[in-house]
């Protein structure tokens, strides 16, 4: 052995002798035991205590660890490494260098891909549009036309369980134990299954025209394949359906908070969901859902739903729905439904439905239905209908109908107020210009009141005011209105009169009875601008010789208000001569007791 060899051997031994203690010290830092018992103390204080006990130093980036965060920790004679893992929840890695312990970000593992082909067990043919997904990692993909698939796996926490699902096939599970990217062949077996009604319902939102427009065929196919799997997570953020924190599995996740820039697709919401464009939910929505354009929910909504254009709930609503254009609820509404144009509920309402143009209720309920144009309700409804143009109650209604044009009701117990009112069966009050009813046990107040099944009649009679009068009495015997006109035959005492009034008939006996009428008349005496007014209380006994004819006669009390009118030559003056009259304060107002007698023809169907 030469001198150079001897020198190199001595140098190597010296280096080893020097490094071994250092290495022993370095390996001892993470294994040194420490005692930590703190409550609500800063992280920096905990690290300082550990370094003082272990006689070493920490080195870390202040942006990586927030030193002023408060923690509570109890560890008795535990290694430094174990205490750090508890303190930071395995979020970092640690490197020892001399008497320093360096805290570094955890190493990022490279993702790998699972490749394979899915074949039919019996035929061996490729199965396309089959879902391959992980319930734990929430990643998924669909098989292509040749049955092939490629699924990216980020987390290498083996084993990884993958499920293959497709409508009409039984679910199959495979286990991945290592990062092996060789292609796997899986055979799935056909299975006759009855679709769960809930799964069918959840797919309905995707089948709407908005769902078909904004959800890809692959997302809709996956939703049908794995319709029984749902999971709840704290939040979601997405740009468009399928492009977000949950990827293509977003339709299987119920979120507490969901933020969607253009649009989002979720299993449901149990908190708040906000979208710049749209939200589509397969299950239920609770609390708040906001969208700039539209919301589609396959389940029910319990809370507040607001959209700039349209809301569509395929189940029920319990809360408030506000839509810029249209709001649709397939089943019941318990709350308030407001839209700029159209509001529609298919299962009844208990609350208020308000729209700018059209409001539709399919299965009755109670509350208020208000629209700027047209209201329609089917089923038994109790409350109020108010429309700018028309109200239509297709079945029974216990309500008040108010419209600027027409009210229509099949069976109403309440009030109709409009220029034109129609009721098949009226049990209340109609107030309008034209009131029509097939049958009525109430009152129709208007210029023309037509009741098909009634005691309406046309009367021809004489009075002390005019010898010939014709009156059209419209309504029922309990209440009717009348329009009348009268004239005379004497050329020296001409008289023309017209007016309107109300009356009621009483029939204590089968063929005999009496009626009471109050009539307001105007009398033309040669000047249309100044016409005296006559107010008459008419009472007459009646006798029915036949089904359609009625004879009547009786006294009247007349109040005449001349109002300064001058009687032109050739016209009859009042009070008529031969009748005792009573002055009522003013010289222009007088009264007298007169008479009436005539015959009526009943044209109404009794």
């Amino acid at each position: 052995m030469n001198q150079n060899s001897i020198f190199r051997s001595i140098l190597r031994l010296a280096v080893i002798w020097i490094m071994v203690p250092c290495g022993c010290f370095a390996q001892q830092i993470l294994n040194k035991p420490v005692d930590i018992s703190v409550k609500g103390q800063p992280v920096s204080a905990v690290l300082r205590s550990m370094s003082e006990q272990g006689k070493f130093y920490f080195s870390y980036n202040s942006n990586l660890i927030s030193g002023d965060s408060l923690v509570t920790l109890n560890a008795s004679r535990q290694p430094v490494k174990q205490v750090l893992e508890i303190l930071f929840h395995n979020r970092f890695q640690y490197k020892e260098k001399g008497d320093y312990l360096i805290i570094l970000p955890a190493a990022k593992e490279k993702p790998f891909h699972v490749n394979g082909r899915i074949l039919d067990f019996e035929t061996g043919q490729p199965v396309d549009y089959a879902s391959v997904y992980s319930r734990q990692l929430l990643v998924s993909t669909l098989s292509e036309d040749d049955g092939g698939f490629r699924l990216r796996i980020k987390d290498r926490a083996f084993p990884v369980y993958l499920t293959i699902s497709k409508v009409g096939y039984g679910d199959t599970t495979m286990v991945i134990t290592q990062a092996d990217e060789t292609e796997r062949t899986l055979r799935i077996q056909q299975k006759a299954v009855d679709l769960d009604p809930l799964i069918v319902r959840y797919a309905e939102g995707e089948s709407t025209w908005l769902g078909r427009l904004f959800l890809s065929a692959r997302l809709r196919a996956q939703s049908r394949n794995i319709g029984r799997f749902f999971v709840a997570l704290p939040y979601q953020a997405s740009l468009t359906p399928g492009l977000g924190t949950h990827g293509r599995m977003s339709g299987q996740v119920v979120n507490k908070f969901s933020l969607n820039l253009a649009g989002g697709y979720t299993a449901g919401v149990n908190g708040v969901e906000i979208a710049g464009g749209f939200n589509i939910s397969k299950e239920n929505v609770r609390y708040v859902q906001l969208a700039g354009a539209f919301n589609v929910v396959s389940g029910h909504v319990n809370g507040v739903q607001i959209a700039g254009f349209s809301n569509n709930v395929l189940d029920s609503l319990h809360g408030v729905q506000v839509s810029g254009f249209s709001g649709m609820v397939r089943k019941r509404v318990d709350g308030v439904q407001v839209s700029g144009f159209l509001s529609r509920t298919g299962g009844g309402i208990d609350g208020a439905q308000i729209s700018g143009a059209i409001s539709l209720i399919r299965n009755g309920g109670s509350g208020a239905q208000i629209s700027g144009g047209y209201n329609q309700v089917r089923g038994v409804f109790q409350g109020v209908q108010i429309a700018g143009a028309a109200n239509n109650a297709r079945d029974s209604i216990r309500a008040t109908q108010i419209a600027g044009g027409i009210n229509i009701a099949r069976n109403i117990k309440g009030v109709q107020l409009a220029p034109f009112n129609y009721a098949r069966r009226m049990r209340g009050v109609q107030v309008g210009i034209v009131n029509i009813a097939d049958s009525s046990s109430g009152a129709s107040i208007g210029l023309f009141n037509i009741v098909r099944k009634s005691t309406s009649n046309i009367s021809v009679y004489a009075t002390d005011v005019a010898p010939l009068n014709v009156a059209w009495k419209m309504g029922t015997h309990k209440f009717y209105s009348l329009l009348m006109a009268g004239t005379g035959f004497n050329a020296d005492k001409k008289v023309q009169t017209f007016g309107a009034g109300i009356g009621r008939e009483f029939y204590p006996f089968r063929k005999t009875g009496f009626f009471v009428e109050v009539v307001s008349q105007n009398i033309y005496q040669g000047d249309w601008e100044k016409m005296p007014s006559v107010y008459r209380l008419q009472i007459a006994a009646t006798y029915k010789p036949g089904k359609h004819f009625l004879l009547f006669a009786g006294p009247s009390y007349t109040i005449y208000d001349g109002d300064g009118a001058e009687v032109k030559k050739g016209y009859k003056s009042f009070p008529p001569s031969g009748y005792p009259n009573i002055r009522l304060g003013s010289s222009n107002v007088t009264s007298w007791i007169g008479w009436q007698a005539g015959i009526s023809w009943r044209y109404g169907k009794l």
Side-chain angles (χ1 to χ4, degrees):
M1 182 180 293
N2 56 35
Q3 292 182 348
N4 290 334
S5 298
I6 294 172
F7 177 76
R8 285 195 296 270
S9 299
I10 294 171
L11 181 61
R12 186 180 300 110
L13 290 173
V15 170
I16 294 172
W17 181 80
I18 293 172
M19 294 299 296
V20 165
C22 295
C24 292
F25 176 80
Q27 291 299 321
Q28 291 177 354
I29 294 179
L30 289 173
N31 296 324
K32 286 185 175 183
V34 292
D35 290 315
I36 300 295
S37 180
V38 295
K39 184 176 181 180
Q41 295 296 318
V43 170
S44 58
V46 176
L47 295 178
R48 188 182 311 112
S49 176
M50 293 173 62
S51 64
E52 291 174 353
Q53 292 182 50
K55 306 300 182 183
F56 63 92
Y57 303 97
F58 279 106
S59 176
Y60 58 86
N61 190 332
S62 59
N63 293 326
L64 186 66
I65 298 175
S66 178
D68 57 356
S69 298
L70 302 181
V71 297
T72 298
L73 182 64
N74 288 291
S76 177
R77 307 302 296 170
Q78 297 292 329
V80 170
K81 182 177 181 181
Q82 185 172 344
V83 175
L84 291 175
E85 289 176 349
I86 296 173
L87 183 63
F88 297 122
H89 305 288
N90 298 317
R91 291 186 291 118
F92 305 117
Q93 61 178 330
Y94 310 101
K95 182 178 180 181
E96 301 175 3
K97 188 171 183 180
D99 56 353
Y100 283 89
L101 183 60
I102 304 171
I103 302 177
L104 300 170
K108 294 183 179 179
E109 294 186 354
K110 293 182 179 180
F112 70 98
H113 293 83
V114 177
N115 300 287
R117 293 186 71 221
I118 302 174
L119 304 177
D120 187 285
F121 183 84
E122 296 181 358
T123 64
Q125 296 297 315
V127 178
D128 61 351
Y129 278 78
S131 295
V132 182
Y133 66 100
S134 168
R135 296 172 181 262
Q136 294 79 21
L137 305 179
L138 288 181
V139 293
S140 67
T141 188
L142 287 174
S143 60
E144 304 295 340
D145 293 342
D146 62 354
F149 68 88
R150 181 177 174 86
L151 181 63
R152 187 172 182 263
I153 303 293
K154 294 181 180 180
D155 192 346
R156 295 196 179 206
F158 296 106
V160 176
Y161 295 88
L162 297 183
T163 303
I164 297 90
S165 296
K166 182 176 173 64
V167 174
Y169 288 84
D171 288 355
T172 303
T173 300
M174 66 176 175
V175 182
I176 309 298
T177 58
Q178 59 183 352
D180 183 4
E181 297 196 11
T182 59
E183 185 173 279
R184 298 166 170 81
T185 299
L186 296 101
R187 296 178 180 271
I188 59 177
Q189 192 165 9
Q190 293 188 22
K191 180 181 180 181
V193 295
D194 293 327
L195 292 181
D196 191 326
L198 292 179
I199 297 175
V200 175
R201 188 192 75 181
Y202 295 150
E204 288 179 346
E206 305 157 8
S207 300
T208 63
W209 70 273
L210 288 172
R212 294 193 301 271
L213 180 63
F214 289 95
L215 297 178
S216 67
R218 298 179 69 85
L219 275 177
R220 286 184 276 127
Q222 177 166 281
S223 177
R224 291 190 295 270
N225 290 340
I226 55 178
R228 291 181 176 87
F229 169 65
F230 297 101
V231 64
L233 290 176
Y235 68 90
Q236 169 187 269
S238 69
L239 179 60
T240 60
L243 186 58
T245 52
H246 303 326
R248 291 178 179 171
M249 293 292 286
S250 63
Q252 313 307 125
V253 180
V254 178
N255 303 283
K256 290 186 176 179
F257 178 77
S258 178
L259 178 63
N260 309 305
L261 296 182
Y265 177 48
T266 65
V269 179
N270 191 21
V272 178
E273 184 173 47
I274 303 173
F278 62 89
N279 296 306
I280 299 177
S281 299
K282 293 169 58 178
E283 288 192 275
N284 305 319
V285 170
R286 294 181 65 190
Y287 305 127
V288 179
Q289 187 180 54
L290 309 175
F294 68 87
N295 294 305
V296 176
V297 178
S298 294
H300 64 259
V301 173
N302 188 344
V304 178
Q305 185 184 52
I306 301 174
F309 180 77
S310 172
N311 287 304
N312 192 354
V313 179
L314 303 184
D315 202 290
S316 59
L317 169 71
H318 184 83
V320 178
Q321 183 189 69
V322 181
S323 313
F325 181 78
S326 65
M328 306 266 189
V329 179
R330 180 172 293 182
K331 295 185 179 179
R332 185 171 180 83
V333 172
D334 291 298
V336 179
Q337 189 181 32
V338 182
S339 70
F341 181 79
L342 170 66
S343 293
R344 182 182 181 276
T345 175
I349 189 170
D350 186 4
Q353 187 183 58
I354 304 169
S355 69
I358 301 172
S359 293
L360 304 173
I361 300 174
R362 186 171 181 81
N363 199 25
S366 62
Q369 188 182 40
I370 304 170
S371 75
Y374 175 72
N375 287 321
Q376 178 177 295
V377 60
R378 291 174 178 265
V380 179
F381 182 77
Q382 184 172 355
V384 60
Q385 279 188 313
I386 302 175
N391 292 309
N392 187 1
R394 304 290 295 272
D395 295 296
S396 180
I397 181 171
R398 297 169 60 92
T400 298
Q401 288 184 314
I402 302 173
I406 181 174
N407 288 316
I408 299 173
R410 182 174 183 176
N411 185 354
I412 182 170
K413 186 175 183 179
V415 178
Q416 286 186 316
L417 178 60
F420 185 94
N421 297 303
Y422 170 77
R424 183 174 294 181
R425 184 180 180 187
M426 181 69 199
R427 293 181 295 170
V429 179
Q430 290 178 315
V431 181
I433 298 173
V434 178
N435 300 306
I436 299 175
D438 286 353
S439 64
S440 175
S441 58
S444 298
I445 304 173
L447 187 61
F448 297 99
N449 304 296
I450 302 172
V451 181
R452 188 169 65 89
K453 296 179 181 179
S454 69
T455 55
S456 299
N457 62 74
I458 295 176
S459 299
V460 179
Y461 60 101
T463 70
D464 51 289
V465 175
L468 177 62
N469 299 274
V470 178
W472 182 15
K473 299 181 180 181
M474 301 165 285
T476 67
H477 72 277
K478 292 183 178 181
F479 181 88
Y480 60 86
S481 63
L482 64 89
L483 296 175
M484 61 80 57
T487 187
F489 303 107
N490 193 330
D492 296 330
K493 294 182 179 181
K494 293 183 291 185
V495 60
Q496 283 87 36
T497 180
F498 56 91
I502 58 174
R504 175 167 179 162
E505 293 181 341
F506 299 88
Y507 283 99
F509 306 104
R510 182 178 179 184
K511 290 192 174 185
T512 60
F514 65 96
F515 65 72
V516 178
E517 296 176 345
V518 177
V519 182
S520 174
Q521 299 175 223
N522 290 314
I523 298 177
Y524 177 69
Q525 293 180 318
D527 189 347
W528 288 105
E529 294 183 359
K530 292 184 178 181
M531 290 190 296
S533 299
V534 170
Y535 307 97
R536 288 173 60 88
L537 173 62
Q538 302 177 160
I539 301 175
T542 61
Y543 174 73
K544 293 190 292 185
K547 184 177 181 180
H548 293 285
F549 290 95
L550 182 74
L551 301 176
F552 63 90
S556 66
Y557 176 70
T558 305
I559 298 175
Y560 174 84
D561 183 1
D563 195 23
E566 294 182 2
V567 181
K568 301 296 183 180
K569 186 178 180 180
Y571 286 88
K572 185 177 181 179
S573 61
F574 293 93
S577 60
Y579 292 87
N581 62 84
I582 304 171
R583 293 287 178 182
L584 301 176
S586 172
S587 60
N588 294 323
V589 181
T590 187
S591 64
W592 68 89
I593 296 176
W595 59 274
Q596 63 168 333
I599 185 171
S600 296
W601 171 61
R602 297 193 182 280
Y603 64 85
K605 183 177 180 181
L606 300 177

